[in-house]
Amino acid sequence: MLLPLSSHNVLQYLQDVGLCSSENGSSDASELPENSNKNLNLLVTTGNSKLLVKQKRSVERDGIPHEFFNEWLFQQLLQQFPVLGNISAIAPLIKHFDEENSILVRNYFSEYVELGKFYRHQDIFPTEIATAIGTTLAGLHRATFQRREYRDFMSAAPEGQFRYNFYNPAQGVESISPEIFGIVPTEALKFYVLYQRYESLESAIADLAYEWQPCCLTHNDLKLNNILIHSRWHQLDDCLVRLIDWEACSWGDPAFDLGTLLASYLEIWLKSLVVDSSIELEESLHLAMTPLEVIQPSLLALIRAYLNAFPMILDYRSDFLVRVIQFAGLTLIHQIQETIKCRKHFDNADIYMIQVAKNFLTIPEQSIMNVFGICESEIVSPVAKNHLLLQPQKEQQLVRLYYEKTRLRGC
């Protein structure tokens, strides 16, 4: 049985595991507003340090490693391979992992703010931030790309458990059974009707799953709220981007990370639509409170920074950008499902979102133009040319057909 933590007993727990002492002076613990039915988050201040204590409210005991283990395993990877030091600079330091009680303790970044909150409160989208994120994500993928030792390390599992395959995120909507009528609100059933109506949509997701090729370490939950930027980012030479909540990380497809991030940006636009039954989709998209044109420069800066820092991904997958857009569409569909499941909510804005998601999945080349404002070749060609120029020219290995010193016949 789990030891349930609260602001009343967490200090004692930290003392018992040696992470704080009664001699450190005044200590304080409080629950963070981000708490959910899934996780409990406690902020503990002891002396001059701050710790974030997370606990799963319920753990599935079905032989599958719970998510905190993934985050702990990621930290072990960084310690096992010091050459990955640049990655550890963007990730929080895990201080303690208690598998039995499903507790994880990490350092707390008090000078950083969640990117999602930053965009909501400031209502600006600096390209400098997007560029830093693209470069940071590319650094993670590039450092682990096609490295068997890292892949094998991430295939580890808790004692007595096994991992035969890594999770493929390219999953469509599960099969519908009669039980759904007692779980999903009546208005939300329209989502499943729309989804089943488009055979091309299911086919595109099936193709995406079939072509899934894990080749590097991926975060797998790269939403804006899982990205932190320094509160003084505009005063620093480097934005000092941090990525948090590595619970879903595994060996995966880099296009999924980039697609998830792209979808999180696009949700700002899609959730600001003016929705009315008398307004057509195209008109609603143009009447958004946060127009796509406002976010577009950041989207373009993000993808260009990523490709400039990791151009070899285009050698590995020439259709990389197409897959990024398709994964963005799939993420939007998963987000609608999550809204229905958790908030029991579905409205016209979600109908518009599934229309956009369908376009991303079924006509990705055209969607690239709509999202970034330029076509795929205009994004990829400059990167490909620079990549070719930067590649060292290999010296041709020719057999010498002459003598180093001139010799005359008969001498």
Side-chain angles (χ1 to χ4, degrees):
M1 183 175 178
L2 293 179
L3 168 67
L5 289 184
S6 68
S7 57
H8 302 293
N9 66 357
V10 67
L11 289 174
Q12 183 61 52
Y13 175 83
L14 294 176
Q15 291 177 16
D16 292 341
V17 298
L19 289 180
C20 75
S21 170
S22 57
E23 299 175 357
N24 289 343
S26 61
S27 299
D28 180 60
S30 59
E31 291 191 12
L32 291 175
E34 291 82 7
N35 285 333
S36 64
N37 293 330
K38 185 179 179 182
N39 284 349
L40 170 71
N41 297 297
L42 298 166
L43 177 60
V44 178
T45 303
T46 60
N48 295 324
S49 64
K50 290 187 177 182
L51 298 174
L52 178 65
V53 182
K54 302 195 295 183
Q55 183 177 40
K56 290 288 179 187
R57 293 186 185 272
S58 61
V59 180
E60 303 272 338
R61 299 297 184 184
D62 54 2
I64 300 175
H66 60 74
E67 293 171 340
F68 282 171
F69 176 81
N70 284 347
E71 189 158 3
W72 176 248
L73 184 64
F74 168 65
Q75 287 287 322
Q76 298 302 302
L77 173 72
L78 300 181
Q79 294 180 23
Q80 182 75 17
F81 300 97
V83 71
L84 296 175
N86 290 337
I87 297 178
S88 61
I90 65 170
L93 175 64
I94 303 298
K95 298 279 192 179
H96 175 70
F97 172 52
D98 181 348
E99 182 181 355
E100 182 180 355
N101 291 297
S102 190
I103 297 172
L104 194 75
V105 183
R106 68 166 174 85
N107 57 338
Y108 183 78
F109 299 122
S110 56
E111 293 190 345
Y112 287 75
V113 295
E114 289 182 4
L115 187 56
K117 288 183 178 179
F118 171 84
Y119 285 147
R120 286 194 299 271
H121 295 161
Q122 302 296 327
D123 198 28
I124 57 174
F125 303 89
T127 56
E128 300 93 329
I129 293 177
T131 297
I133 295 170
T135 304
T136 299
L137 182 59
L140 166 70
H141 294 162
R142 185 185 65 242
T144 58
F145 180 65
Q146 297 285 55
R147 298 295 295 269
R148 184 186 181 97
E149 63 270 32
Y150 304 149
R151 185 198 67 185
D152 291 345
F153 192 94
M154 292 303 296
S155 67
E159 185 176 356
Q161 299 172 346
F162 301 93
R163 287 182 177 177
Y164 294 103
N165 293 296
F166 292 104
Y167 173 67
N168 184 343
Q171 306 293 324
V173 175
E174 63 275 4
S175 300
I176 300 174
S177 62
E179 288 77 13
I180 195 172
F181 295 100
I183 301 173
V184 174
T186 303
E187 62 272 15
L189 292 175
K190 191 171 184 178
F191 164 72
Y192 297 94
V193 173
L194 289 171
Y195 180 85
Q196 291 182 321
R197 178 183 299 172
Y198 306 118
E199 292 185 7
S200 59
L201 179 58
E202 290 189 277
S203 177
I205 295 175
D207 290 342
L208 198 60
Y210 180 77
E211 293 292 334
W212 182 73
Q213 295 180 7
C215 62
C216 64
L217 181 66
T218 50
H219 184 283
N220 292 336
D221 192 22
L222 208 57
K223 300 176 291 190
L224 294 180
N225 288 341
N226 285 337
I227 300 175
L228 305 180
I229 60 167
H230 201 282
S231 58
R232 293 182 289 107
W233 64 271
H234 55 289
Q235 300 173 351
L236 305 173
D237 294 333
D238 190 340
C239 288
L240 298 179
V241 174
R242 304 272 189 169
L243 309 182
I244 60 173
D245 288 351
W246 294 78
E247 301 172 12
C249 73
S250 69
W251 200 251
D253 189 331
F256 179 68
D257 267 354
L258 206 52
T260 302
L261 180 56
L262 197 66
S264 196
Y265 268 99
L266 292 171
E267 280 187 64
I268 299 174
W269 162 54
L270 292 170
K271 289 182 177 179
S272 73
L273 298 182
V274 176
V275 179
D276 190 272
S277 57
S278 62
I279 300 178
E280 295 293 331
L281 173 61
E282 290 298 323
E283 184 180 359
S284 180
L285 295 177
H286 290 294
L287 291 175
M289 300 294 290
T290 304
L292 177 59
E293 291 75 17
V294 173
I295 306 174
Q296 210 165 52
S298 284
L299 299 179
L300 193 54
L302 171 71
I303 194 68
R304 280 178 165 164
Y306 181 93
L307 293 176
N308 283 328
F310 189 24
M312 56 280 286
I313 192 61
L314 296 175
D315 298 332
Y316 179 72
R317 293 296 305 237
S318 60
D319 61 344
F320 181 73
L321 201 53
V322 168
R323 289 175 59 77
V324 168
I325 287 291
Q326 288 182 308
F327 273 123
L330 184 62
T331 300
L332 292 176
I333 290 177
H334 288 167
Q335 184 58 45
I336 296 172
Q337 283 186 280
E338 190 66 19
T339 300
I340 293 173
K341 178 181 176 182
C342 298
R343 295 169 48 198
K344 308 297 183 184
H345 179 76
F346 184 82
D347 58 19
N348 288 336
D350 296 309
I351 294 177
Y352 287 1
M353 188 179 291
I354 194 174
Q355 292 285 347
V356 172
K358 180 181 77 71
N359 290 341
F360 285 3
L361 280 156
T362 58
I363 48 173
E365 292 84 359
Q366 179 180 329
S367 298
I368 289 173
M369 181 71 183
N370 295 334
V371 169
F372 297 109
I374 58 177
C375 65
E376 180 184 5
S377 62
E378 291 179 274
I379 298 173
V380 172
S381 295
V383 177
K385 289 178 182 178
N386 292 336
H387 180 43
L388 289 175
L389 290 174
L390 292 174
Q391 283 185 327
Q393 296 294 323
K394 293 184 178 179
E395 182 180 353
Q396 291 183 327
Q397 301 298 319
L398 300 178
V399 178
R400 290 181 182 270
L401 298 179
Y402 61 92
Y403 291 102
E404 293 182 3
K405 295 182 179 180
T406 303
R407 298 197 310 173
L408 297 177
R409 183 178 296 179
C411 296

